[in-house]
Amino acid sequence: MDNQNRNLILATVLSALVIVVWTVFFPPPKPTASDPAVAEQTALPAPTAAPLATAAPAVEPAPEAPRVTIDTPALTGSISLLGARFDDLSLKHYHEKLDPASPLVRLLAPVGSSDLNAAKPYYVVQGWSALAGVTAAQVPGPKTLWTAPEGAKLTPETPLVLTWDNGAGLTFTRTIAVDPQYLFTVTDAVTNTGAAPVSIAPWGIIARHGIPAGNRVYVLHEGAVRMTNGELQEIKYKKITDLDAIAGEGQADVRSADTGGWAGFTDKYWMTTLIPETARFTSVVKYVPSADLYQTETRQPAVEIAAGASTSVTMRLFAGAKEWEPIAQYQNDPGMFDRLFGDKIDPTQPQITRFVDSIDWGWYYFLTKPMFRLLHWLHAVLGNMGWAIIALTVIIKLIVFPLARTSYISMAKMKEIQPMMEALKERTKDDKQALQRGMMELYKREKINPAAGCLPILLQIPIFFALYKVIYVTIELYHAPWIGWIKDLSAPDPSSILNLFGLLPYATPEPGSLLFIFSLGVLPILLGISMWFQQKLNPAPTDPSEAAIFAWMPWIFMFMLGGFASGLVLYWIANNVITFAQQYSIMSLHGKRPDLFGNIIAGFRKKTAEEPPKK
């Protein structure tokens, strides 16, 4: 096999390896269905020597508990006054299906709800721990029934003010504000009208009964995510169930923060996160097997309230879509293009430490972050995510063009010396040492580096990883149209060759079914054709087994990638077309214009010649 064909096979095999490695689907663990009729665990963690709060898991709210409506440009739902619990929240900008009449994506759902829209119980509750001078029943917790003003409604313009008097000298006032996007600010004020000081400590819990439906994917993190002292930690759901038991905590992982942070749960597109205002707090990830309950907790330091004094603490809650723009705003991190135009950090806005890292950038974060920001900017400029993907592919191909040019030139030179290489093989016969010496002398005389063709390909693999990751995880592709029949770039091509792309009135296999692999759409077919044309830039290998590998590879890839998101397939098509144009032009400039149609005709003639004669 000549080196040019060897390099092409190497590039194809490496690309296939990337696809396989990054798309390994692990079967989801079989969750134990939590029984809504059974109260959640109430075992308290053991007190610690440090003045930090201990928190009790939440308990099931009564169905008849009064509620206050949440209504913002991005969110809709309600807060249960029993525990002032966030347990009913849907995202106005996102539907479960492409049909705008389909239900909104429901992020948070209460225990025992009769209308879960396939959502399992998932909620946020905050309270106080009694440390000194007060009992547990005299501080707000999951069972506390708060009082709201008549007709209250939480909007960006009208904060919600809740009150509770413990009847023993402590008055609690909880003010909940929300912005037009996804950030709640919860401020708890406490007034001590008693005769003695008290010591109490605030805590917050995000509780999840079971894990969301769907397969867990290796390429994407779903589970607990937290930032502690500037260190990001991601714990998948399966790993949470394997946590070691800690005395007084159960199965848990406990970390102490001294310089701030946050903790919560993340899915592919959605996230719920608690962000304490204090730099010092305790972060806990916990699993309760008996209830199949996953929890993240934030426990803030104790506060002492003297007689006649007051104090307040603040906790922020992010609950919404993992859109880069609002998350970057909450971190107060202007984008690279904003910086070019002089935008600076606003000291009056939240500054949540490394909050953009809640988006799963992967191992190649140093590549995925700038790639995503460029894609985001292109989307804003072009107004269409499909064209933004194509533009990003063009820009990246231009950036790596010097590497590609080196590779193509090396291939062309290797092709030029093929006759001399064949003559050398004929002279040396079976003497491998003489063949190696002759090859090295030939490379030296002709000033050819045989590794020059492979190295650029290997250097481009991290770029491929990073771009694949960006397109896979970005929420901007969710239900984003491109042209014509492509209405959702995050879903496979909906057209199918099985019904002649909609001309026949037959239903086709649904994505995820075993037969869907045969339901090829227009984009996967174009992908196979683009790979086939790219192959035909070079004559087929003379070795029959190598020729067979080349012949089948485009069509195998066509079936392999047919079920991928349309945005990813669009990227591969654009990449193939640009690579074809680059290679054709470079080979032509070096006097080796590819005989494209000749190679195609030769391929068909070879197949005809291989057919057995008819009897």
Side-chain angles (χ1 to χ4, degrees):
M1 180 183 359
D2 62 43
N3 284 276
Q4 189 167 359
N5 286 331
R6 183 181 295 112
N7 286 335
L8 185 55
I9 287 182
L10 174 63
T12 307
V13 170
L14 286 173
S15 299
L17 181 62
V18 170
I19 295 167
V20 171
V21 169
W22 282 87
T23 55
V24 174
F25 285 80
F26 287 94
K30 296 180 180 179
T32 304
S34 55
D35 184 357
V38 179
E40 300 143 24
Q41 302 301 302
T42 57
L44 284 169
T48 59
L52 297 169
T54 58
V59 296
E60 180 184 350
E64 66 275 8
R67 291 183 168 273
V68 174
T69 299
I70 301 172
D71 187 14
T72 79
L75 301 170
T76 183
S78 62
I79 296 174
S80 172
L81 293 186
L82 189 66
R85 179 184 306 218
F86 295 87
D87 63 356
D88 174 26
L89 201 63
S90 298
L91 310 180
K92 286 185 176 180
H93 298 158
Y94 298 94
H95 291 263
E96 291 182 358
K97 298 181 180 179
L98 191 58
D99 183 359
S102 66
L104 295 175
V105 169
R106 188 167 194 179
L107 180 63
L108 302 179
V111 174
S113 171
S114 60
D115 179 26
L116 293 180
N117 289 341
K120 296 180 180 179
Y122 184 23
Y123 45 87
V124 182
V125 65
Q126 295 173 242
W128 293 79
S129 292
L131 300 181
V134 66
T135 67
Q138 294 172 338
V139 292
K143 294 182 179 180
T144 300
L145 185 61
W146 292 78
T147 301
E150 186 175 353
K153 185 177 183 180
L154 177 58
T155 72
E157 296 77 26
T158 57
L160 173 63
V161 179
L162 306 178
T163 56
W164 183 68
D165 191 328
N166 73 352
L170 293 181
T171 302
F172 295 83
T173 302
R174 177 167 295 178
T175 303
I176 304 174
V178 62
D179 71 0
Q181 295 168 319
Y182 305 116
L183 192 67
F184 296 86
T185 301
V186 182
T187 302
D188 272 345
V190 187
T191 300
N192 182 5
T193 60
V198 297
S199 181
I200 56 178
W203 50 259
I205 292 176
I206 302 175
R208 186 163 215 166
H209 290 241
I211 58 177
N215 292 334
R216 311 274 74 77
V217 186
Y218 180 74
V219 70
L220 177 75
H221 172 70
E222 292 184 281
V225 60
R226 58 180 174 177
M227 182 68 63
T228 312
N229 295 329
E231 179 184 352
L232 180 71
Q233 184 187 27
E234 298 174 332
I235 310 177
K236 289 183 177 292
Y237 289 110
K238 186 177 181 180
K239 295 294 184 181
I240 295 176
T241 61
D242 295 333
L243 291 174
D244 294 333
I246 299 176
E249 296 279 5
Q251 290 181 234
D253 184 274
V254 181
R255 292 194 173 191
S256 297
D258 297 312
T259 59
W262 38 268
F265 289 109
T266 180
D267 302 323
K268 180 177 181 178
Y269 293 134
W270 331 114
M271 181 173 65
T272 308
T273 309
L274 284 171
I275 309 109
E277 184 185 54
T278 58
R280 186 165 176 254
F281 68 96
T282 296
S283 174
V284 182
V285 176
K286 181 181 292 186
Y287 180 65
V288 183
S290 59
D292 191 29
L293 182 65
Y294 299 81
Q295 285 189 183
T296 58
E297 304 176 6
T298 55
R299 308 171 186 171
Q300 298 187 55
V303 294
E304 185 168 322
I305 310 170
S310 300
T311 192
S312 66
V313 296
T314 299
M315 177 88 77
R316 289 191 291 265
L317 167 66
F318 176 93
K322 291 164 65 175
E323 300 170 6
W324 176 81
E325 196 161 317
I327 289 177
Q329 289 176 1
Y330 298 144
Q331 180 177 309
N332 216 340
D333 177 27
M336 58 181 176
F337 294 100
D338 297 324
R339 290 194 183 98
L340 291 176
F341 295 103
D343 285 2
K344 305 297 183 182
I345 290 177
D346 183 353
T348 66
Q349 296 299 316
Q351 297 185 37
I352 303 174
T353 305
R354 291 181 58 188
F355 203 39
V356 293
D357 288 339
S358 61
I359 300 172
D360 185 12
W361 302 109
W363 298 337
Y364 296 107
Y365 59 89
F366 50 89
L367 291 175
T368 53
K369 279 187 177 181
M371 276 187 189
F372 173 79
R373 291 195 175 190
L374 180 56
L375 179 65
H376 182 80
W377 181 78
L378 289 169
H379 182 207
V381 171
L382 300 175
N384 182 286
M385 183 54 75
W387 296 118
I389 290 173
I390 293 174
L392 178 65
T393 308
V394 171
I395 292 172
I396 291 176
K397 292 296 287 185
L398 290 174
I399 292 173
V400 301
F401 179 73
L403 292 176
R405 181 175 179 273
T406 300
S407 178
Y408 298 149
I409 292 175
S410 176
M411 289 181 187
K413 288 182 177 179
M414 292 295 291
K415 194 170 186 64
E416 290 176 4
I417 67 170
Q418 276 304 114
M420 290 181 278
M421 191 72 73
E422 293 298 329
L424 178 63
K425 291 178 181 178
E426 185 66 26
R427 290 197 307 269
T428 57
K429 299 296 183 181
D430 295 330
D431 190 343
K432 294 184 177 180
Q433 291 185 352
L435 176 62
Q436 290 294 328
R437 287 195 300 270
M439 290 173 59
M440 296 304 296
E441 291 173 359
L442 181 60
Y443 291 149
K444 185 176 181 179
R445 184 172 66 250
E446 299 296 330
K447 298 180 179 180
I448 295 175
N449 181 0
C454 298
L455 184 59
I457 294 173
L458 294 175
L459 292 176
Q460 292 179 60
I461 292 298
I463 298 174
F464 180 91
F465 266 96
L467 190 56
Y468 176 90
K469 178 79 171 183
V470 165
I471 295 176
Y472 186 82
V473 305
T474 175
I475 194 174
E476 276 77 0
L477 267 70
Y478 185 78
H479 292 174
W482 178 39
I483 57 172
W485 74 104
I486 302 296
K487 306 295 185 183
D488 182 3
L489 286 167
S490 68
D493 187 334
S495 61
S496 174
I497 196 173
L498 298 181
N499 64 1
L500 297 183
F501 311 108
L503 293 178
L504 299 178
Y506 300 129
T508 55
E510 292 290 329
S513 66
L514 293 176
L515 296 178
F516 183 73
I517 190 175
F518 302 107
S519 184
L520 290 173
V522 174
L523 287 183
I525 292 174
L526 290 177
L527 173 65
I529 292 173
S530 67
M531 290 187 66
W532 182 74
F533 268 102
Q534 192 176 344
Q535 271 190 6
K536 296 306 176 181
L537 287 174
N538 304 297
T542 56
D543 184 271
S545 60
E546 296 166 4
I549 292 174
F550 264 73
W552 282 101
M553 199 167 290
W555 318 120
I556 291 174
F557 268 69
M558 180 177 68
F559 283 98
M560 281 177 56
L561 306 181
F564 277 51
S566 299
L568 287 169
V569 181
L570 178 61
Y571 153 69
W572 276 311
I573 294 172
N575 184 73
N576 289 344
V577 171
I578 298 168
T579 300
F580 176 91
Q582 287 180 341
Q583 189 172 352
Y584 188 94
S585 60
I586 291 174
M587 293 175 71
S588 298
L589 288 173
H590 284 78
K592 295 294 181 181
R593 182 184 297 274
D595 186 10
L596 181 64
F597 294 105
N599 293 338
I600 292 173
I601 294 171
F604 283 116
R605 286 176 177 171
K606 186 175 182 180
K607 290 180 181 179
T608 304
E610 290 175 352
E611 291 179 358
K614 295 181 180 179
K615 295 182 180 180

